[in-house]
Amino acid sequence: MRKSFLNLVKTLEVGSRLYHSGSNGPRVLITGGLGQLGTGLARELRKLHGPESVILSDIVKPEAEEIAKGPFVFADVLDFKCLQEIVVNKRIDWIVHFSALLSAVGENNVPLAVRVNIEGLHNVMELAKQYKLKLFVPSTIGAFGPESPRNPTPNICIQRPKTIYGVSKVHAELLGEYYHKRFNLDFRCLRYPGIILYDSHPGGGTTDYAVQIFHDALTTGKHVCYLRPDARLPMMYIDDCLRATIEYMMTPGKQLTTRTYNVHAMSFTPEELYAEVKKHVPNLEIEYKVDSRQAIADAWPMVFDDSSARTDWSWKENIPMEKLVDIMITNLRKVYAGDPSTGKLDAMA
Ligand code: SER
């Protein structure tokens, strides 16, 4: 993965300036940095531009080992001045806005989801506009609803999501594209599938089962699944997700025909994932106890059409399902055996 990043970033565009990899790279602020994706993105960007190039931020207290890897600051996305201070003092060029409540937790606390996902977004968008920053905001399969075509779901189609998470993400897509057109904000947005990784826990989404099943396989030997056996959803391994994000951020703006792209890697059901995990853990049992998350999954895409991303900036996934399962099992075996080279699971479990 590192090699392809390096090939890609001999020269990269950041706003109106040009940076050269390994030297004067962009200075990046990641909000919600201690969630599922932030530490991984920080690690990859720091490989490219040095440890000081990424400021990880969150309202959660970091582990000492996280601080050792590079700068960390407290940042509450609801506090405009706090964010503004960081942008000015740290001379930030890009904001990667990962701070958000996911689909299942959002339904359990709608007022908080409105504040974090919508008011927080307004703060970073205004800052990005004022200081001419490049802004990345992830969107999701959750930005679609029951009226959207589900197999495949095109980049542009009707979007009537039924969760506050989905509503807030459509709001982000539309506002970002509007700011791009109206104020020339360099807004970039990828619609992520469910993201699967072994070294941190997901934060309360509908796709979380596809991570939990691996932990259960190697601990209790039994997975209780809250989705139906045939609930098909798009998924992606973290390495592909981080690579997609960095490749997209580095694509010159003139190559882009839109600012919001679907990205696809694979699509599977709980039944299919169970069968694949069982090849590595033959005694694994599964029981289906469907809950309210099934209704959320029922309205989401089964397969993403990501042809625009493939055409405009040559997106291509590297990791199919069999490889993902192999990576997860191999690495989690080491984690549960206490192998220090795998790091440890983050505190969100
Ligand atoms: N993983 C997210 C969720 O399930 C989807 O973007 O909420």
Side-chain angles (χ1 to χ4, degrees):
M1 185 168 63
R2 193 179 337 168
K3 194 156 172 259
S4 67
F5 284 163
L6 289 175
N7 289 341
L8 179 86
V9 295
K10 295 222 172 64
T11 304
L12 56 131
E13 188 196 57
V14 181
S16 57
R17 286 163 285 182
L18 281 180
Y19 289 98
H20 296 279
S21 67
S23 55
N24 288 321
R27 296 178 58 82
V28 183
L29 173 66
I30 303 181
T31 69
L34 298 181
Q36 198 191 5
L37 309 175
T39 52
L41 186 69
R43 184 189 62 235
E44 295 307 323
L45 287 170
R46 283 169 178 160
K47 278 184 203 163
L48 294 172
H49 304 299
E52 301 298 315
S53 64
V54 177
I55 319 273
L56 212 51
S57 75
D58 210 307
I59 55 170
V60 175
K61 196 172 166 187
E63 299 278 344
E65 65 202 38
E66 210 45 69
I67 304 259
K69 292 176 194 157
F72 177 89
V73 293
F74 170 89
D76 179 353
V77 295
L78 296 176
D79 183 344
F80 183 84
K81 278 248 171 273
C82 162
L83 293 173
Q84 188 177 26
E85 229 176 275
I86 300 166
V87 165
V88 171
N89 291 347
K90 308 286 183 189
R91 297 181 298 105
I92 295 298
D93 301 299
W94 297 3
I95 297 180
V96 174
H97 183 50
F98 277 160
S99 173
L101 266 65
L102 297 185
S103 59
V105 285
E107 290 313 289
N108 293 333
N109 194 342
V110 174
L112 185 64
V114 167
R115 295 199 69 207
V116 174
N117 295 15
I118 298 179
E119 290 176 34
L121 173 91
H122 290 172
N123 284 337
V124 294
M125 205 164 280
E126 192 51 39
L127 269 178
K129 168 176 158 270
Q130 265 185 37
Y131 292 96
K132 302 195 186 324
L133 313 179
K134 187 178 276 199
L135 174 63
F136 179 82
V137 181
S139 186
T140 160
I141 47 176
F144 296 91
E147 295 91 349
S148 313
R150 295 184 66 209
N151 192 358
T153 303
N155 215 61
I156 301 218
C157 64
I158 186 164
Q159 287 176 269
R160 282 286 182 272
K162 306 298 182 215
T163 60
I164 188 60
Y165 174 59
V167 169
S168 70
K169 289 299 184 179
V170 175
H171 173 72
E173 292 177 7
L174 293 176
L175 199 65
E177 288 181 9
Y178 172 77
Y179 268 50
H180 169 64
K181 193 161 181 287
R182 180 83 166 74
F183 303 115
N184 206 24
L185 171 70
D186 196 348
F187 170 77
R188 300 189 181 210
C189 175
L190 293 181
R191 296 195 188 109
Y192 290 152
I195 304 300
I196 299 178
L197 70 172
Y198 68 86
D199 55 358
S200 87
H201 284 272
T206 302
T207 56
D208 293 9
Y209 91 88
V211 174
Q212 190 59 41
I213 191 170
F214 292 99
H215 292 275
D216 293 343
L218 298 176
T219 54
T220 62
K222 178 169 180 183
H223 177 65
V224 180
C225 188
Y226 53 79
L227 295 183
R228 278 196 323 262
D230 64 346
R232 178 173 302 283
L233 291 170
M235 302 279 180
M236 183 180 280
Y237 186 61
I238 183 76
D239 287 10
D240 274 343
C241 167
L242 299 177
R243 186 172 52 83
T245 305
I246 295 177
E247 287 181 1
Y248 175 43
M249 284 298 274
M250 289 172 172
T251 302
K254 58 182 182 308
Q255 260 174 254
L256 307 176
T257 55
T258 180
R259 291 282 158 168
T260 304
Y261 289 90
N262 293 349
V263 279
H264 190 76
M266 70 190 83
S267 177
F268 56 71
T269 65
E271 199 169 34
E272 289 165 358
L273 182 60
Y274 172 58
E276 195 60 39
V277 178
K278 236 173 126 59
K279 289 182 189 165
H280 298 258
V281 186
N283 294 334
L284 176 65
E285 290 173 32
I286 193 161
E287 185 188 344
Y288 293 95
K289 276 195 185 161
V290 171
D291 71 17
S292 56
R293 285 170 279 191
Q294 181 62 52
I296 297 178
D298 278 338
W300 283 4
M302 291 193 265
V303 175
F304 254 166
D305 172 351
D306 63 353
S307 45
S308 299
R310 286 171 197 264
T311 305
D312 289 0
W313 45 278
S314 309
W315 159 243
K316 190 176 180 333
E317 77 285 359
N318 279 341
I319 300 177
M321 184 193 185
E322 300 71 33
K323 194 166 169 195
L324 172 146
V325 171
D326 189 52
I327 295 171
M328 289 295 285
I329 293 287
T330 307
N331 285 287
L332 278 178
R333 277 205 169 110
K334 291 186 196 163
V335 169
Y336 283 115
D339 178 344
S341 71
T342 52
K344 62 186 176 100
L345 297 171
D346 73 14
M348 293 180 66

